[in-house]
Amino acid sequence: MSHALAPPPPPRRAAAALVPALPPVAVVALAGLPPTGDGAGPADVVSALLVGYCVIRLLRERRRPLSPVAAVVLGLPVVGLALAAMGAASPQAALDGLSRYLQVFVLVPAAVLVLLRGRADFRVLAWSFVGLALWQGAVGVHQYVTGTGASYQGETVRAVGTFGATDVMGMATAVSLGVVCAAGIALGRAPVRQRAAAAGCALLLVLPLALSFSRGAWIATALTCAVQLALAGLRRALKVAAAVVAAGVVLVGGFGVGTAMLQERIDSITEVTGTPDQSVVDRYTLWAAAAGMWREHPWTGVGLKNFPEYRDGHATLALSSGSDIEGAGEEYHKQALLSPHSMYLLVLSEQGLVGLLALAGGWLALLVCALRRLLRARRRGPGLDCALVAVGLLLWLLTDFVYGDIGGPSTVLTGVALGLTAWWALSRDGRPHTARRDAASERAEEAATR
């Protein structure tokens, strides 16, 4: 009998096929809970359980966890981390830094790669990013309207979602990743209803992203969506671009949503000379300090978690004592600047050239493999939406890492996003190396997307 005429799988079987995707979905969902303190949050704890669950499944099924290519690409960061850990100020600092980097860049992405069995699982996880973004965006818009957000220019209007004023980038990261996932689904070949819903979600998320006042997130999201549009085709790109421009005119021009503050924030992106705001001065001062550390320790850096110890010896007097934190449930206080606010410079200063080449080399390999499979999916075969999401997530992270680094409750989302990219990039025609699949499972996967 022809596969095209085969009946769809029963609902229970289709639901059971999505069970492997539920642990990573739980990590994404729990990232939206309010922070409980300075320790590991609920999402971090569940991410550790995710890795443990993955190991148990591999042992029970007696299968190889990763292909040789995937093991090399995802394992590259371990080289620089091991060398930098030996230069840490204390064993505790080495353990803290090593565990965090391994969690975000090695273990969680590898667990997502192993657990996802098909494009249906991929789409479920991508939609969970959109759901988290909608939740955080709704909280953020409410904070702006009611004046209960984080402090910005003396007013508590900055949208930070449930992440609080101590992690002002948290909501911006969650919303941006949701926009990228929604845009990828909308530009793919999913059913019309799914594409329409995804496009609507992407447009809705533009408002909370703007109200986050995060320049780095704006730049990364705009660049990523532009590349996604270009990869999806010129005709579709023009249609979507027109819709985005119309939405922007309505939100900003028609309703005057944060016009003055947004314009001032946008202008500050290129304001390096003259009278830039203190946040811009601090950022460039920290960048210069990180570069100075690297010049003194070019190969292995100053050691994991050692940037704060070396900062004052390389920073100029232009650096302030810390950033002002107030609003969204926080009393006014100063938050110390303990990183250069650039992932590349953080790795370069603490892990040296060896660490940066190892980490960035793995990212570049993922990007090349993901783009190759995207071009194949665009010419023939299903999965264009998965390809656009995978490439978009990695491109967003690579761009955002110029202006930000890991830290805070939202960091675990980076690991899950890299896992989605790794699944698409390090697979054969969108199928994980470790999964045995047959025609029935393929039909179940396609039926779940209808």
Side-chain angles (χ1 to χ4, degrees), residues 139-190:
V139 175
V141 171
H142 178 266
Q143 290 171 334
Y144 176 84
V145 172
T146 60
T148 56
S151 178
Y152 179 75
Q153 294 185 351
E155 300 181 46
T156 54
V157 295
R158 186 170 190 175
V160 292
T162 61
F163 294 96
T166 57
D167 185 15
V168 294
M169 283 297 299
M171 191 209 76
T173 298
V175 171
S176 298
L177 295 178
V179 171
V180 171
C181 289
I185 296 171
L187 294 170
R189 301 192 185 105

Side-chain angles (χ1 to χ4, degrees), residues 186-200:
L187 294 170
R189 301 192 185 105
V192 176
R193 290 184 179 179
Q194 287 192 30
R195 286 187 281 122

Side-chain angles (χ1 to χ4, degrees), residues 160-402:
V160 292
T162 61
F163 294 96
T166 57
D167 185 15
V168 294
M169 283 297 299
M171 191 209 76
T173 298
V175 171
S176 298
L177 295 178
V179 171
V180 171
C181 289
I185 296 171
L187 294 170
R189 301 192 185 105
V192 176
R193 290 184 179 179
Q194 287 192 30
R195 286 187 281 122
C201 291
L203 291 176
L204 284 175
L205 292 172
V206 171
L207 176 59
L209 179 60
L211 299 180
S212 70
F213 297 105
S214 174
R215 295 166 293 201
W218 292 347
I219 295 172
T221 306
L223 175 62
T224 301
C225 290
V227 172
Q228 287 178 309
L229 286 171
L231 292 173
L234 180 60
R235 181 181 300 179
R236 187 172 296 176
L238 293 176
K239 291 181 180 178
V240 176
V244 172
V245 170
V249 170
V250 172
L251 290 175
V252 179
F255 295 105
V257 178
T259 307
M261 288 184 176
L262 288 176
Q263 185 61 50
E264 183 177 346
R265 193 67 166 172
I266 293 171
D267 292 341
S268 69
I269 293 176
T270 57
E271 198 174 47
V272 182
T273 60
T275 56
D277 60 46
Q278 187 59 44
S279 65
V280 174
V281 173
D282 287 340
R283 187 179 301 272
Y284 284 101
T285 303
L286 291 169
W287 286 6
M293 296 178 200
W294 169 67
R295 283 191 291 268
E296 290 188 2
H297 305 270
W299 295 108
T300 57
V302 298
L304 286 181
K305 308 288 285 187
N306 275 354
F307 180 87
E309 300 295 328
Y310 286 79
R311 181 198 63 186
D312 292 340
H314 294 82
T316 65
L317 296 177
L319 183 66
S320 66
S321 59
S323 56
D324 297 332
I325 302 298
E326 187 179 13
E330 293 283 342
E331 297 292 336
Y332 176 81
H333 65 278
K334 287 281 189 178
Q335 181 171 281
L337 302 173
L338 303 179
S339 74
H341 293 286
S342 170
M343 192 68 213
Y344 302 110
L345 289 175
L346 177 62
V347 174
L348 190 64
S349 61
E350 293 189 344
Q351 302 179 39
L353 196 58
V354 173
L356 182 62
L357 290 177
L359 194 62
W363 297 338
L364 181 60
L366 279 179
L367 183 60
V368 171
C369 292
L371 283 171
R372 287 179 58 189
R373 298 193 184 283
L374 185 150
L375 295 177
R376 185 183 306 170
R378 182 178 170 181
R379 291 193 300 267
R380 64 185 186 279
L384 180 60
D385 55 337
C386 299
L388 292 171
V389 169
V391 172
L393 288 174
L394 181 57
L395 183 60
W396 188 92
L397 291 172
L398 294 180
T399 307
D400 184 71
F401 280 162
V402 176

